[in-house]
Amino acid sequence: MKTRRKTEQKKPIGKPNSSLASRISAFYTKMFAQWLTIVLVSVIIVVIGFSAFSQYYAVKPSIDILEKQTSVAEIAEVIQSNKDNFFSLINSDGRIIASSERLISENLVVYNIDYVGAQIHNKRVYVSIAKNYFLENQNLKLIIHFNITMMLIEIAIIGALAVLLFFISVLTIYIQGNYLTRKTFRLLDEFIEKANNISSQNLNLRLNVSNSTDELVELSMTFNRMMDRIESAYEKQKQFVSDASHELRTPIAVIQGYARMLERWGKDDKEILYESIEAINKEAKNMQDLVDKLLFIARNDKDTMVLVKDRFNMSVLMEEMVKDTLMLDTKRNIESQIEPDIYVNGDRDRIKQALRIFVDNAIKYTDEGGNISLRLEKDGENAVVSVIDNGKGISEKDLPNIFDRFYRVESSRERDKGGHGLGLAIAKIIVLRHGGRIKVSSKLGAGTRFRIYFPLN
């Protein structure tokens, strides 16, 4: 049977982001160039229109005077006496009836046009517009000549400046935009590079947020916070494995020691035989207890733990807890205060397991003759279980860590106290799985109070 092996090709760091940065920069440059072109063309059109209308309205008074004349002779007289504008009057045969003196003095060729014409004369550009008249039974044509040389020079200068401005602006926008875009995406390049280099040996990698702004700061901080959580979880996992190995090493060493004793002297000495068997059974049970707790925590971490939830009477459960505690411990004063008929929805066995952990802790750290109080009451929408003792208490520095796995305060590390530092971690898991919460207050040498909240609904 042939198997296909997938090969992963490494892409060059920065290449995807660089091309994306170029596309973004090119897009905004193109958009800026389009709008700048529209604005400059609009400005040129406005300038041309303004110049054209200015020349037309400069000539309009003379045109109005010509239109008021009632004979050809009067029109010819007005045209010939006009010194400010260029006019020529042509009959239907194309013969010039009258022309302005300036047309004659400048030797400007007068030609017959239908509507609009243009010509260049003496390095000047003229545009001619024709208007038709019917006067004295003659079809006449009045031709108005506009000198647009200065207007064209102005338009050329404005156009050249506009083109220069266009190229300078587009080039500046492209260079600056490309620089800023690449600078912005530099953080993503760093992000990809560091993400590719992350391993269990360098979980302390973080992004530099000093040069970032706006959303990129939040991206950097989110990545750094994620790495903080991963590093913290990894360190806890390493500590968990180390502590579990340490906890297993001790009973294994004890079992091995007694096994050697059995091998040497147990066959002939019954006292050593019974002592070894008792010790091996005790340590095996201790190992079994530890393995069960580790499996419980592992199922929770893998989210495969199943809770069989049902509605049950919490008051009855607490009464059972009190009876069991009175039977197990006769050296401490056990008090109870339980409200009747408080019902909750949950896994009864798991909740009892969690409450047993709190009670066992109270017994463990309360001296003989001490007081332990078990209470159950309603508090709003919650059923509240209180486990209160006047034992050794917990120091302020240890209090935030008591629910951590394998964590034990210094005073509880003696072997005769038993336990692995997993009880409160398991109790917390059970309470949180039921939507509850835990509050703890303690004072060193004065005792501890745990309040466990379970939602009624």
Side-chain angles (χ1 to χ4, degrees), residues 292-320:
D292 289 341
K293 290 178 178 178
L294 292 176
L295 288 175
F296 180 91
I297 292 174
R299 283 195 295 269
N300 175 73
D301 292 344
K302 292 171 63 177
D303 200 22
T304 58
M305 185 173 66
V306 178
L307 296 176
V308 182
K309 292 186 177 182
D310 197 6
R311 186 170 177 80
F312 67 94
N313 193 326
M314 189 75 170
S315 302
V316 174
L317 175 61
M318 284 299 295
E319 294 289 354
E320 292 177 9

Side-chain angles (χ1 to χ4, degrees), residues 265-283:
W265 305 291
K267 297 175 183 179
D268 302 322
D269 192 334
K270 288 187 177 181
E271 185 178 347
I272 293 177
L273 176 63
Y274 292 141
E275 180 187 351
S276 299
I277 292 174
E278 183 182 356
I280 290 173
N281 284 332
K282 179 182 176 182
E283 295 302 332

Side-chain angles (χ1 to χ4, degrees), residues 25 124 159 258 282 305 412 440:
S25 179
R124 294 187 180 93
Y258 277 102
K282 179 182 176 182
M305 185 173 66
S412 67
V440 56

